[in-house]
Amino acid sequence: MSEIEIRLVRFDAPVAQHLIQAALADLAARYGGSGDDTPVDAAEFEPPDGAFLVAYLAGEAVGCGGWRSHGADTAELKRMYTAPAARGRGVARAVLAAVERSAREQGRKRMLLECGDKQPEAIAMYGSAGYERIPNFGFYKDAEGCLSFGRTL
């Protein structure tokens, strides 16, 4: 197995935008529409109030994820994605761990996320990483199929 390299990048960097567009296409295939209409501003992912990370295998960008502030001591996980060809190789877990570490280093004590019920692989991963269901929040809090999770960092 190739070693996974995680790099901090700007949310609006071309490599990040390419992966984000792939993530949105994946969500659109599962849920319809644009995939996710949550308002997101690239500035929200600038340290120390957020971060965006890209995972590389053999020099190829294959996954991403980031966090943005959700209150003074809480971070919100956004735009987690692994390219289909890299799935099952630990990329998502490596990105999640790096995102959590980044948020913790900036003083965040809790991580929250929204997920949909048509993402069973993500739900399973979050559960195995210690995330528990919490009351829905965010843009899709009242949408059918919205599931929110959180965990202490």
Side-chain angles (χ1 to χ4, degrees), residues 8 11 44-53 65-72 74-79 98-108 110-112 153:
L8 179 67
F11 184 87
E44 296 174 310
F45 296 88
E46 289 294 319
D49 298 318
F52 199 77
L53 305 167
W67 68 273
R68 63 184 182 178
S69 291
H70 189 87
T74 303
E76 179 185 10
L77 182 69
K78 294 299 296 177
R79 301 296 185 247
V99 168
E100 290 174 341
R101 187 170 41 257
S102 170
R104 196 177 315 107
E105 288 170 353
Q106 296 301 328
R108 301 317 187 272
R110 187 156 176 76
M111 182 75 72
L112 309 176
L153 294 176

Side-chain angles (χ1 to χ4, degrees), residues 54-122:
V54 171
Y56 293 82
L57 276 176
E60 181 181 350
V62 296
C64 64
W67 68 273
R68 63 184 182 178
S69 291
H70 189 87
D73 65 352
T74 303
E76 179 185 10
L77 182 69
K78 294 299 296 177
R79 301 296 185 247
M80 279 287 296
Y81 175 73
T82 302
R87 291 180 185 164
R89 298 174 69 185
V91 172
R93 288 187 185 282
V95 170
L96 181 61
V99 168
E100 290 174 341
R101 187 170 41 257
S102 170
R104 196 177 315 107
E105 288 170 353
Q106 296 301 328
R108 301 317 187 272
K109 301 193 180 336
R110 187 156 176 76
M111 182 75 72
L112 309 176
L113 67 97
E114 279 184 299
C115 189
D117 62 358
K118 295 179 182 175
Q119 295 167 266
E121 65 283 14

